[in-house]
Amino acid sequence: MQEINQYLAQRVKQLRQEKGWSLDQAAKETGVSKAMLGQIERGESSPTVARLWKIASGFHCSLSSLLEPAPTPQQTLKRHADDLRQQPSQGEMLVAPLFSYDPSKGFELFELTLAPAYERISEPHEPGVTEHIVVISGVMELLLDGQWQTLEPGDAVRFAADCEHGYRNPGTVPVVFHDLIHYAR
Ligand code: MN
């Protein structure tokens, strides 16, 4: 946890410097308060997944680039989800960045775990972002076009994520799914 906070702290500071934004400006762009951004930059806060997404959208970067350094392109990469699962904040979904965002590929691939009864409504991602979901285990529901749809293991869904969408676990066991997020840049 500490390590994630430290990487995030350094990354957010770096992004803000690259943009030449004050904390005030960054708060305006991300919708995350100046106080919270200050805490994150000092490594004092574990932001929720929702806040991480706001930061990523505000800075126009991928979610995984906030969690770990970009992989070296053209390098064979083998690792295990068990070693990558992170819980950005208590009670939130578990996030494993299996393949972090690589600009030459344009996508990131997550394994996501939803605790029973967990629900997250996602604000629209940047224009042109597409999500590809494949359910691994458990039964989940996906909010698309204002309607919750039931997805079972093996179900695969691609949708435009630049509009409101959501994920929830209506059951009593965790739901695990893969989410490949493609950025049109
Ligand atoms: Mn999303």
Side-chain angles (χ1 to χ4, degrees), residues 7 21 29 41 43 59-60 94 99 109 113 129 142 147-148 164 171:
Y7 180 73
W21 290 349
E29 302 283 348
E41 287 196 7
F59 282 108
H60 306 286
L94 301 181
F99 297 111
L109 175 64
T113 306
V129 172
L142 189 63
Q147 289 201 325
W148 287 102
E164 189 186 74

Side-chain angles (χ1 to χ4, degrees), residues 53 120 122-123 125 131 159 161 165 167 179 181:
W53 264 119
R120 166 167 152 71
S122 172
E123 52 278 320
H125 300 304
E131 288 190 36
F159 61 95
H165 55 286
Y167 324 81
D179 191 353
I181 304 180

Side-chain angles (χ1 to χ4, degrees):
M1 207 51 164
Q2 210 51 29
E3 254 172 59
I4 302 162
N5 283 355
Q6 287 316 313
Y7 180 73
L8 179 67
Q10 167 204 324
R11 180 75 182 131
V12 170
K13 231 178 290 173
Q14 181 200 351
L15 283 165
R16 198 162 64 74
Q17 277 164 7
E18 281 171 13
K19 301 265 186 200
W21 290 349
S22 62
L23 271 178
D24 271 319
Q25 181 71 22
K28 229 174 280 167
E29 302 283 348
T30 60
V32 174
S33 76
K34 188 179 160 182
M36 175 58 68
L37 284 173
Q39 281 180 17
I40 290 169
E41 287 196 7
R42 293 192 300 274
E44 294 169 2
S45 173
S46 304
T48 59
V49 170
R51 280 219 180 84
L52 285 174
W53 264 119
K54 283 186 176 176
I55 293 169
S57 298
F59 282 108
H60 306 286
C61 68
S62 61
L63 185 69
S64 54
S65 68
L66 297 177
L67 303 175
E68 62 169 27
T72 311
Q74 311 306 334
Q75 191 185 27
T76 302
L77 191 62
K78 179 179 185 295
R79 43 205 202 156
H80 199 286
D82 287 350
D83 302 324
L84 298 170
R85 270 179 219 114
Q86 307 172 12
Q87 193 166 17
S89 180
Q90 211 63 31
E92 290 281 320
M93 62 167 82
L94 301 181
V95 178
L98 298 178
F99 297 111
S100 282
Y101 182 73
D102 172 346
S104 71
K105 314 267 189 301
F107 74 86
E108 55 190 346
L109 175 64
F110 294 100
E111 180 216 65
L112 301 173
T113 306
L114 310 182
Y118 178 78
E119 174 175 318
R120 166 167 152 71
I121 306 293
S122 172
E123 52 278 320
H125 300 304
E126 285 190 66
V129 172
T130 311
E131 288 190 36
H132 308 67
I133 285 180
V134 182
V135 182
I136 306 300
S137 67
V139 175
M140 68 178 282
E141 293 181 338
L142 189 63
L143 179 67
L144 286 182
D145 304 320
Q147 289 201 325
W148 287 102
Q149 304 188 23
T150 300
L151 302 181
E152 293 178 348
D155 275 334
V157 180
R158 178 178 64 201
F159 61 95
D162 50 8
C163 47
E164 189 186 74
H165 55 286
Y167 324 81
R168 76 180 177 199
N169 178 358
T172 54
V173 294
V175 165
V176 181
F177 64 102
H178 285 157
D179 191 353
L180 185 152
I181 304 180
H182 183 265
Y183 295 80
R185 281 176 195 154

